[in-house]
Amino acid sequence: MISAARHRSPGHGRAVRSRAPGRRRAALAAGAAAALAAAGGCTGFTPGNGELTDDINVSSTLLMEGSMLPDAFTCRGEGEAGSPPLQWSGQPEDIGSFAIVADDPGAAEVFWVLFDLDPATVEIRQDGVPQPAHTGENSFGETDYTPPCPEEDDPHEYRFTVYALDRKLELPQGAPLTDTLEQISAHTVARGSLVTAAE
């Protein structure tokens, strides 16, 4: 069974917010892994509208593809870590909404979920949630950005994926992780990711 807590540590003496109980976290991680695999385009995924493409180009003024995730967006940073800014382009026309999922695919952990972003949105600001978007639960039962907390010498990838959907999900604020990921998987028509690292 996947251990959802295997690379968490306080990091530089910072207090880490309480996490969901181990059994619940393991179940969430398993469900997240299955839903993310589907949304990632693995065999058996049927997009909600046409063929799935990887045409969306995701970038950031503070993150670089393949480079280290800055400490400011992990538990190693000083103060309360917030979410990074993201920009994207190349999405199809006539989409219904965007969703964003930030995860560690190796650990099957999701640390940020946004959904029902307006289809005209092409960026989010640092530590921002554009209206009328909603946040869903992550792997730790929290509804905000939970900064990843890698142990030393334990390399990980952190993936920030923008999904173009054929409609709004119309799930409530704080919707359960498995619900949001299943709906994102079912209605994705295009996607793009920015992948950073930690070690």
Short mmCIF file of all heavy atoms in Angstrom, two decimals, residues 95-152:
data_model
loop_
_atom_site.label_atom_id
_atom_site.label_comp_id
_atom_site.label_asym_id
_atom_site.label_seq_id
_atom_site.Cartn_x
_atom_site.Cartn_y
_atom_site.Cartn_z
N ILE A 95 -14.38 25.96 -24.17
CA ILE A 95 -14.35 25.07 -23.02
C ILE A 95 -15.30 25.60 -21.95
O ILE A 95 -15.73 26.75 -21.99
CB ILE A 95 -12.93 24.91 -22.46
CG1 ILE A 95 -12.41 26.25 -21.93
CG2 ILE A 95 -12.01 24.32 -23.49
CD1 ILE A 95 -11.11 26.13 -21.18
N GLY A 96 -15.62 24.74 -20.98
CA GLY A 96 -16.57 25.13 -19.94
C GLY A 96 -15.93 25.67 -18.69
O GLY A 96 -16.52 26.51 -17.99
N SER A 97 -14.71 25.23 -18.37
CA SER A 97 -14.02 25.68 -17.16
C SER A 97 -12.61 25.12 -17.16
O SER A 97 -12.24 24.29 -18.00
CB SER A 97 -14.76 25.23 -15.89
OG SER A 97 -14.66 23.83 -15.72
N PHE A 98 -11.82 25.57 -16.19
CA PHE A 98 -10.50 25.01 -15.92
C PHE A 98 -10.48 24.41 -14.52
O PHE A 98 -11.22 24.82 -13.64
CB PHE A 98 -9.40 26.09 -15.98
CG PHE A 98 -9.06 26.56 -17.35
CD1 PHE A 98 -9.43 27.83 -17.77
CD2 PHE A 98 -8.33 25.76 -18.22
CE1 PHE A 98 -9.11 28.29 -19.03
CE2 PHE A 98 -8.00 26.21 -19.49
CZ PHE A 98 -8.39 27.48 -19.90
N ALA A 99 -9.59 23.44 -14.35
CA ALA A 99 -9.27 22.91 -13.02
C ALA A 99 -7.76 22.82 -12.91
O ALA A 99 -7.06 22.68 -13.92
CB ALA A 99 -9.90 21.55 -12.80
N ILE A 100 -7.26 22.93 -11.71
CA ILE A 100 -5.82 22.83 -11.46
C ILE A 100 -5.61 21.82 -10.33
O ILE A 100 -6.28 21.87 -9.30
CB ILE A 100 -5.22 24.19 -11.06
CG1 ILE A 100 -5.36 25.18 -12.22
CG2 ILE A 100 -3.75 24.04 -10.67
CD1 ILE A 100 -4.93 26.59 -11.88
N VAL A 101 -4.68 20.91 -10.57
CA VAL A 101 -4.31 19.92 -9.55
C VAL A 101 -2.80 19.97 -9.39
O VAL A 101 -2.06 19.86 -10.36
CB VAL A 101 -4.75 18.50 -9.94
CG1 VAL A 101 -4.28 17.49 -8.90
CG2 VAL A 101 -6.27 18.43 -10.10
N ALA A 102 -2.33 20.14 -8.15
CA ALA A 102 -0.91 20.06 -7.84
C ALA A 102 -0.69 18.78 -7.06
O ALA A 102 -1.36 18.54 -6.06
CB ALA A 102 -0.48 21.27 -7.03
N ASP A 103 0.24 17.95 -7.52
CA ASP A 103 0.41 16.66 -6.88
C ASP A 103 1.86 16.18 -6.96
O ASP A 103 2.68 16.73 -7.69
CB ASP A 103 -0.51 15.61 -7.52
CG ASP A 103 -0.06 15.19 -8.92
OD1 ASP A 103 0.14 16.07 -9.78
OD2 ASP A 103 0.10 13.99 -9.16
N ASP A 104 2.13 15.16 -6.17
CA ASP A 104 3.37 14.41 -6.20
C ASP A 104 3.01 13.05 -6.77
O ASP A 104 2.50 12.19 -6.05
CB ASP A 104 3.93 14.29 -4.79
CG ASP A 104 5.18 13.42 -4.71
OD1 ASP A 104 5.50 12.72 -5.69
OD2 ASP A 104 5.82 13.43 -3.65
N PRO A 105 3.22 12.81 -8.06
CA PRO A 105 2.76 11.55 -8.66
C PRO A 105 3.45 10.33 -8.08
O PRO A 105 2.85 9.26 -8.00
CB PRO A 105 3.07 11.73 -10.15
CG PRO A 105 4.09 12.82 -10.21
CD PRO A 105 3.82 13.72 -9.05
N GLY A 106 4.69 10.47 -7.65
CA GLY A 106 5.39 9.33 -7.09
C GLY A 106 4.81 8.85 -5.78
O GLY A 106 4.81 7.66 -5.48
N ALA A 107 4.30 9.78 -4.98
CA ALA A 107 3.72 9.44 -3.67
C ALA A 107 2.21 9.38 -3.71
O ALA A 107 1.58 9.08 -2.70
CB ALA A 107 4.16 10.47 -2.63
N ALA A 108 1.60 9.65 -4.88
CA ALA A 108 0.14 9.70 -5.01
C ALA A 108 -0.47 10.65 -3.98
O ALA A 108 -1.47 10.34 -3.35
CB ALA A 108 -0.46 8.31 -4.90
N GLU A 109 0.16 11.81 -3.82
CA GLU A 109 -0.34 12.84 -2.92
C GLU A 109 -0.80 14.05 -3.73
O GLU A 109 -0.09 14.50 -4.63
CB GLU A 109 0.73 13.29 -1.94
CG GLU A 109 1.06 12.28 -0.88
CD GLU A 109 2.07 12.81 0.11
OE1 GLU A 109 2.79 13.78 -0.19
OE2 GLU A 109 2.15 12.25 1.21
N VAL A 110 -1.94 14.56 -3.39
CA VAL A 110 -2.46 15.78 -4.00
C VAL A 110 -2.44 16.86 -2.93
O VAL A 110 -3.00 16.68 -1.85
CB VAL A 110 -3.89 15.58 -4.52
CG1 VAL A 110 -4.47 16.90 -5.04
CG2 VAL A 110 -3.92 14.52 -5.61
N PHE A 111 -1.77 17.98 -3.22
CA PHE A 111 -1.69 19.00 -2.19
C PHE A 111 -2.42 20.30 -2.56
O PHE A 111 -2.42 21.26 -1.78
CB PHE A 111 -0.23 19.29 -1.79
CG PHE A 111 0.74 19.50 -2.92
CD1 PHE A 111 1.02 20.75 -3.40
CD2 PHE A 111 1.40 18.41 -3.47
CE1 PHE A 111 1.92 20.94 -4.42
CE2 PHE A 111 2.32 18.58 -4.50
CZ PHE A 111 2.58 19.85 -4.98
N TRP A 112 -3.12 20.29 -3.70
CA TRP A 112 -3.89 21.49 -4.06
C TRP A 112 -4.86 21.12 -5.18
O TRP A 112 -4.48 20.46 -6.14
CB TRP A 112 -2.94 22.56 -4.55
CG TRP A 112 -3.48 23.94 -4.65
CD1 TRP A 112 -4.43 24.54 -3.87
CD2 TRP A 112 -3.05 24.94 -5.58
NE1 TRP A 112 -4.62 25.83 -4.26
CE2 TRP A 112 -3.79 26.11 -5.31
CE3 TRP A 112 -2.11 24.95 -6.61
CZ2 TRP A 112 -3.62 27.29 -6.03
CZ3 TRP A 112 -1.94 26.11 -7.33
CH2 TRP A 112 -2.68 27.27 -7.04
N VAL A 113 -6.12 21.53 -5.04
CA VAL A 113 -7.14 21.30 -6.06
C VAL A 113 -7.98 22.56 -6.22
O VAL A 113 -8.56 23.06 -5.25
CB VAL A 113 -8.08 20.12 -5.70
CG1 VAL A 113 -9.13 19.93 -6.79
CG2 VAL A 113 -7.31 18.84 -5.48
N LEU A 114 -8.03 23.08 -7.44
CA LEU A 114 -8.92 24.18 -7.78
C LEU A 114 -9.82 23.70 -8.92
O LEU A 114 -9.37 22.98 -9.80
CB LEU A 114 -8.14 25.41 -8.28
CG LEU A 114 -7.16 26.09 -7.33
CD1 LEU A 114 -6.50 27.26 -8.04
CD2 LEU A 114 -7.86 26.58 -6.09
N PHE A 115 -11.07 24.15 -8.90
CA PHE A 115 -11.96 23.76 -10.00
C PHE A 115 -13.00 24.85 -10.24
O PHE A 115 -13.16 25.77 -9.43
CB PHE A 115 -12.63 22.41 -9.72
CG PHE A 115 -13.49 22.36 -8.49
CD1 PHE A 115 -14.86 22.61 -8.56
CD2 PHE A 115 -12.94 22.04 -7.26
CE1 PHE A 115 -15.65 22.56 -7.43
CE2 PHE A 115 -13.73 21.98 -6.11
CZ PHE A 115 -15.09 22.24 -6.20
N ASP A 116 -13.68 24.74 -11.36
CA ASP A 116 -14.67 25.72 -11.82
C ASP A 116 -14.07 27.10 -12.03
O ASP A 116 -14.72 28.13 -11.81
CB ASP A 116 -15.87 25.80 -10.86
CG ASP A 116 -16.81 24.62 -11.02
OD1 ASP A 116 -16.57 23.78 -11.91
OD2 ASP A 116 -17.79 24.53 -10.26
N LEU A 117 -12.81 27.16 -12.49
CA LEU A 117 -12.23 28.43 -12.91
C LEU A 117 -12.92 28.89 -14.19
O LEU A 117 -13.21 28.08 -15.07
CB LEU A 117 -10.73 28.31 -13.16
CG LEU A 117 -9.80 28.33 -11.94
CD1 LEU A 117 -9.84 26.99 -11.22
CD2 LEU A 117 -8.37 28.66 -12.37
N ASP A 118 -13.18 30.17 -14.28
CA ASP A 118 -13.81 30.74 -15.46
C ASP A 118 -13.00 30.39 -16.70
O ASP A 118 -11.76 30.45 -16.68
CB ASP A 118 -13.90 32.26 -15.30
CG ASP A 118 -14.71 32.91 -16.40
OD1 ASP A 118 -14.18 33.04 -17.52
OD2 ASP A 118 -15.87 33.29 -16.14
N PRO A 119 -13.65 30.01 -17.80
CA PRO A 119 -12.91 29.61 -19.01
C PRO A 119 -12.09 30.74 -19.63
O PRO A 119 -11.21 30.47 -20.47
CB PRO A 119 -14.00 29.13 -19.97
CG PRO A 119 -15.27 29.73 -19.46
CD PRO A 119 -15.11 29.83 -17.98
N ALA A 120 -12.35 31.99 -19.24
CA ALA A 120 -11.55 33.11 -19.73
C ALA A 120 -10.28 33.31 -18.91
O ALA A 120 -9.41 34.10 -19.29
CB ALA A 120 -12.38 34.39 -19.72
N THR A 121 -10.14 32.61 -17.80
CA THR A 121 -8.98 32.76 -16.93
C THR A 121 -7.75 32.14 -17.59
O THR A 121 -7.81 31.03 -18.12
CB THR A 121 -9.23 32.06 -15.58
OG1 THR A 121 -10.40 32.61 -14.97
CG2 THR A 121 -8.05 32.24 -14.64
N VAL A 122 -6.63 32.87 -17.56
CA VAL A 122 -5.39 32.35 -18.13
C VAL A 122 -4.23 32.43 -17.14
O VAL A 122 -3.09 32.15 -17.50
CB VAL A 122 -5.01 33.08 -19.43
CG1 VAL A 122 -6.03 32.78 -20.53
CG2 VAL A 122 -4.88 34.57 -19.21
N GLU A 123 -4.52 32.80 -15.88
CA GLU A 123 -3.47 32.85 -14.88
C GLU A 123 -4.08 32.89 -13.49
O GLU A 123 -5.25 33.26 -13.32
CB GLU A 123 -2.56 34.06 -15.06
CG GLU A 123 -3.25 35.39 -14.82
CD GLU A 123 -2.29 36.57 -14.91
OE1 GLU A 123 -1.06 36.35 -14.81
OE2 GLU A 123 -2.77 37.68 -15.05
N ILE A 124 -3.28 32.48 -12.52
CA ILE A 124 -3.64 32.69 -11.13
C ILE A 124 -2.45 33.33 -10.44
O ILE A 124 -1.29 33.03 -10.76
CB ILE A 124 -4.04 31.38 -10.42
CG1 ILE A 124 -2.95 30.32 -10.56
CG2 ILE A 124 -5.36 30.86 -10.93
CD1 ILE A 124 -3.25 29.07 -9.75
N ARG A 125 -2.73 34.23 -9.53
CA ARG A 125 -1.67 34.93 -8.83
C ARG A 125 -1.13 34.08 -7.68
O ARG A 125 -1.75 33.11 -7.26
CB ARG A 125 -2.19 36.25 -8.28
CG ARG A 125 -2.62 37.22 -9.36
CD ARG A 125 -3.12 38.52 -8.77
NE ARG A 125 -3.51 39.46 -9.81
CZ ARG A 125 -3.99 40.67 -9.55
NH1 ARG A 125 -4.18 41.08 -8.30
NH2 ARG A 125 -4.32 41.47 -10.56
N GLN A 126 0.04 34.47 -7.21
CA GLN A 126 0.63 33.77 -6.07
C GLN A 126 -0.32 33.78 -4.89
O GLN A 126 -0.87 34.82 -4.53
CB GLN A 126 1.96 34.42 -5.69
CG GLN A 126 2.69 33.72 -4.56
CD GLN A 126 4.06 34.32 -4.32
OE1 GLN A 126 4.57 35.10 -5.14
NE2 GLN A 126 4.68 33.95 -3.21
N ASP A 127 -0.54 32.60 -4.30
CA ASP A 127 -1.42 32.43 -3.14
C ASP A 127 -2.81 32.98 -3.41
O ASP A 127 -3.45 33.55 -2.52
CB ASP A 127 -0.81 33.11 -1.91
CG ASP A 127 -1.37 32.54 -0.62
OD1 ASP A 127 -1.88 31.40 -0.63
OD2 ASP A 127 -1.31 33.24 0.41
N GLY A 128 -3.29 32.80 -4.65
CA GLY A 128 -4.59 33.35 -5.02
C GLY A 128 -5.54 32.29 -5.55
O GLY A 128 -5.11 31.29 -6.14
N VAL A 129 -6.82 32.52 -5.35
CA VAL A 129 -7.88 31.69 -5.92
C VAL A 129 -8.83 32.62 -6.64
O VAL A 129 -9.58 33.36 -6.01
CB VAL A 129 -8.64 30.90 -4.84
CG1 VAL A 129 -9.78 30.11 -5.46
CG2 VAL A 129 -7.70 29.97 -4.08
N PRO A 130 -8.80 32.64 -7.98
CA PRO A 130 -9.67 33.56 -8.71
C PRO A 130 -11.14 33.21 -8.53
O PRO A 130 -11.50 32.04 -8.49
CB PRO A 130 -9.21 33.40 -10.16
CG PRO A 130 -8.61 32.03 -10.21
CD PRO A 130 -8.01 31.79 -8.88
N GLN A 131 -11.95 34.23 -8.43
CA GLN A 131 -13.40 34.01 -8.35
C GLN A 131 -13.95 33.76 -9.75
O GLN A 131 -13.47 34.35 -10.71
CB GLN A 131 -14.07 35.23 -7.70
CG GLN A 131 -13.63 35.46 -6.27
CD GLN A 131 -13.94 34.28 -5.38
OE1 GLN A 131 -15.03 33.74 -5.42
NE2 GLN A 131 -12.97 33.86 -4.58
N PRO A 132 -14.93 32.87 -9.90
CA PRO A 132 -15.69 32.15 -8.87
C PRO A 132 -15.18 30.74 -8.62
O PRO A 132 -15.99 29.83 -8.35
CB PRO A 132 -17.08 32.12 -9.49
CG PRO A 132 -16.79 31.93 -10.97
CD PRO A 132 -15.50 32.67 -11.25
N ALA A 133 -13.88 30.50 -8.71
CA ALA A 133 -13.35 29.15 -8.55
C ALA A 133 -13.56 28.64 -7.13
O ALA A 133 -13.78 29.41 -6.18
CB ALA A 133 -11.87 29.14 -8.89
N HIS A 134 -13.48 27.32 -6.99
CA HIS A 134 -13.59 26.67 -5.69
C HIS A 134 -12.34 25.83 -5.43
O HIS A 134 -11.64 25.43 -6.36
CB HIS A 134 -14.81 25.76 -5.64
CG HIS A 134 -16.11 26.46 -5.85
ND1 HIS A 134 -16.61 27.40 -4.98
CD2 HIS A 134 -17.02 26.37 -6.85
CE1 HIS A 134 -17.77 27.85 -5.42
NE2 HIS A 134 -18.04 27.25 -6.56
N THR A 135 -12.10 25.56 -4.17
CA THR A 135 -11.04 24.65 -3.79
C THR A 135 -11.65 23.38 -3.24
O THR A 135 -12.68 23.40 -2.57
CB THR A 135 -10.10 25.26 -2.72
OG1 THR A 135 -10.88 25.64 -1.58
CG2 THR A 135 -9.38 26.48 -3.27
N GLY A 136 -11.03 22.24 -3.58
CA GLY A 136 -11.48 20.96 -3.06
C GLY A 136 -10.51 20.44 -2.01
O GLY A 136 -9.42 20.99 -1.81
N GLU A 137 -10.90 19.38 -1.35
CA GLU A 137 -10.01 18.74 -0.38
C GLU A 137 -8.78 18.18 -1.08
O GLU A 137 -8.86 17.71 -2.21
CB GLU A 137 -10.73 17.60 0.34
CG GLU A 137 -11.65 18.03 1.45
CD GLU A 137 -12.12 16.85 2.29
OE1 GLU A 137 -11.85 15.69 1.90
OE2 GLU A 137 -12.76 17.09 3.32
N ASN A 138 -7.66 18.22 -0.38
CA ASN A 138 -6.47 17.56 -0.88
C ASN A 138 -6.27 16.24 -0.14
O ASN A 138 -7.16 15.77 0.59
CB ASN A 138 -5.25 18.49 -0.77
CG ASN A 138 -4.96 18.93 0.66
OD1 ASN A 138 -5.33 18.26 1.63
ND2 ASN A 138 -4.30 20.07 0.79
N SER A 139 -5.12 15.63 -0.28
CA SER A 139 -4.87 14.32 0.33
C SER A 139 -4.84 14.36 1.84
O SER A 139 -4.87 13.32 2.49
CB SER A 139 -3.54 13.74 -0.17
OG SER A 139 -3.60 13.44 -1.54
N PHE A 140 -4.79 15.57 2.40
CA PHE A 140 -4.68 15.71 3.84
C PHE A 140 -5.96 16.26 4.47
O PHE A 140 -5.99 16.68 5.62
CB PHE A 140 -3.48 16.60 4.18
CG PHE A 140 -2.26 16.18 3.41
CD1 PHE A 140 -1.86 16.90 2.30
CD2 PHE A 140 -1.56 15.03 3.75
CE1 PHE A 140 -0.76 16.49 1.55
CE2 PHE A 140 -0.48 14.62 3.01
CZ PHE A 140 -0.08 15.35 1.92
N GLY A 141 -7.04 16.25 3.68
CA GLY A 141 -8.32 16.71 4.18
C GLY A 141 -8.42 18.21 4.33
O GLY A 141 -9.36 18.71 4.95
N GLU A 142 -7.49 18.95 3.74
CA GLU A 142 -7.49 20.40 3.82
C GLU A 142 -7.96 20.98 2.48
O GLU A 142 -7.85 20.34 1.44
CB GLU A 142 -6.11 20.93 4.19
CG GLU A 142 -5.63 20.41 5.55
CD GLU A 142 -4.25 20.90 5.92
OE1 GLU A 142 -3.67 21.70 5.14
OE2 GLU A 142 -3.75 20.50 6.98
N THR A 143 -8.46 22.20 2.52
CA THR A 143 -9.01 22.80 1.31
C THR A 143 -8.17 23.98 0.81
O THR A 143 -8.62 24.74 -0.03
CB THR A 143 -10.46 23.27 1.54
OG1 THR A 143 -10.49 24.19 2.64
CG2 THR A 143 -11.36 22.09 1.85
N ASP A 144 -6.97 24.11 1.32
CA ASP A 144 -6.07 25.13 0.79
C ASP A 144 -4.79 24.45 0.32
O ASP A 144 -4.69 23.22 0.34
CB ASP A 144 -5.78 26.22 1.84
CG ASP A 144 -5.23 25.64 3.14
OD1 ASP A 144 -5.11 24.40 3.25
OD2 ASP A 144 -4.93 26.42 4.07
N TYR A 145 -3.85 25.23 -0.13
CA TYR A 145 -2.57 24.69 -0.60
C TYR A 145 -1.78 24.16 0.59
O TYR A 145 -1.46 24.92 1.51
CB TYR A 145 -1.80 25.79 -1.32
CG TYR A 145 -0.42 25.42 -1.79
CD1 TYR A 145 -0.24 24.78 -3.01
CD2 TYR A 145 0.71 25.72 -1.03
CE1 TYR A 145 1.04 24.44 -3.47
CE2 TYR A 145 1.98 25.40 -1.47
CZ TYR A 145 2.15 24.76 -2.69
OH TYR A 145 3.40 24.43 -3.13
N THR A 146 -1.49 22.88 0.61
CA THR A 146 -0.67 22.28 1.65
C THR A 146 0.73 22.10 1.09
O THR A 146 0.93 21.29 0.18
CB THR A 146 -1.23 20.92 2.09
OG1 THR A 146 -2.55 21.12 2.62
CG2 THR A 146 -0.37 20.31 3.18
N PRO A 147 1.72 22.85 1.55
CA PRO A 147 3.05 22.78 0.93
C PRO A 147 3.67 21.41 1.08
O PRO A 147 3.61 20.80 2.15
CB PRO A 147 3.85 23.84 1.71
CG PRO A 147 3.15 23.98 3.02
CD PRO A 147 1.70 23.75 2.73
N PRO A 148 4.26 20.89 0.02
CA PRO A 148 4.97 19.61 0.13
C PRO A 148 6.17 19.75 1.06
O PRO A 148 6.72 20.84 1.22
CB PRO A 148 5.40 19.32 -1.31
CG PRO A 148 5.40 20.63 -1.99
CD PRO A 148 4.33 21.45 -1.33
N CYS A 149 6.53 18.65 1.68
CA CYS A 149 7.56 18.67 2.72
C CYS A 149 8.50 17.49 2.53
O CYS A 149 8.45 16.53 3.30
CB CYS A 149 6.87 18.63 4.09
SG CYS A 149 7.89 19.21 5.44
N PRO A 150 9.35 17.54 1.52
CA PRO A 150 10.21 16.39 1.24
C PRO A 150 11.32 16.23 2.27
O PRO A 150 11.83 17.21 2.83
CB PRO A 150 10.80 16.73 -0.14
CG PRO A 150 10.80 18.23 -0.16
CD PRO A 150 9.57 18.65 0.59
N GLU A 151 11.68 14.99 2.54
CA GLU A 151 12.84 14.72 3.37
C GLU A 151 14.11 14.94 2.56
O GLU A 151 14.10 14.90 1.33
CB GLU A 151 12.79 13.27 3.87
CG GLU A 151 11.63 12.98 4.80
CD GLU A 151 11.59 11.54 5.24
OE1 GLU A 151 12.44 10.75 4.75
OE2 GLU A 151 10.71 11.19 6.05
N GLU A 152 15.19 15.18 3.24
CA GLU A 152 16.47 15.36 2.57
C GLU A 152 16.85 14.09 1.81
O GLU A 152 16.61 12.97 2.27
CB GLU A 152 17.56 15.70 3.59
CG GLU A 152 17.31 17.01 4.34
CD GLU A 152 17.48 18.22 3.46
OE1 GLU A 152 18.14 18.11 2.40
OE2 GLU A 152 16.95 19.29 3.83
#
